[in-house]
Amino acid sequence: QVQLVESGGGSVQPGGSLILSCGTTGFSLAYYTVGWFRQAPGKEREGVLCISSFEGRTDSADSVKGRFTISRNSANNTVTLQMSSLRPEDTGVYYCAAKYSTSSACSPVMYDHWGQGTQVTVSS
């Protein structure tokens, strides 16, 4: 069974940075497209950034372009979301998810395996 674990959430002031990490054990994330999603209170879950298996194509929400990056670390079998220039509207629970696919499409309904989520709060 695919199990994902997120780490690295927390509280930060506007303009600050955070790094989230998604890891798993027992299988290689290299064979999965992995994405980061977020859900703010009262809102639907939305795709933030996703990276395809093998070719590493990415699909990004317009709101995070130029501020967030996603990368794979094959050595420790993780996928990292680097967030900078954070805004209050970036606040929410961030989830890591994976699908056994080569498509980088970042729609939540396409993803089969989810982590428990980690809270990110951007506030002054």
Side-chain angles (χ1 to χ4, degrees):
Q1 184 176 352
V2 177
Q3 291 183 321
L4 304 171
V5 179
E6 304 96 339
S7 61
S11 296
V12 65
Q13 292 185 338
S17 301
L18 281 174
I19 298 175
L20 305 183
S21 184
C22 175
T24 186
T25 57
F27 70 96
S28 174
L29 283 175
Y31 297 102
Y32 289 77
T33 288
V34 178
W36 284 97
F37 302 82
R38 66 187 180 191
Q39 189 164 19
K43 294 188 176 181
E44 293 188 355
R45 193 171 298 186
E46 63 173 348
V48 176
L49 256 179
C50 298
I51 185 167
S52 70
S53 58
F54 298 108
E55 293 185 0
R57 295 185 307 275
T58 60
D59 185 13
S60 171
D62 288 342
S63 61
V64 305
K65 286 181 179 177
R67 301 189 298 123
F68 292 12
T69 59
I70 190 170
S71 59
R72 292 182 180 271
N73 186 326
S74 58
N76 59 16
N77 198 28
T78 58
V79 173
T80 297
L81 180 68
Q82 295 184 292
M83 306 184 292
S84 61
S85 301
L86 283 161
R87 305 167 180 168
E89 54 264 39
D90 294 318
T91 294
V93 178
Y94 282 67
Y95 298 89
C96 172
K99 59 177 178 175
Y100 194 69
S101 167
T102 58
S103 167
S104 62
C106 212
S107 173
V109 298
M110 298 180 177
Y111 287 73
D112 306 307
H113 311 288
W114 291 83
Q116 294 299 307
T118 184
Q119 178 70 43
V120 171
T121 302
V122 184
S123 173
S124 56

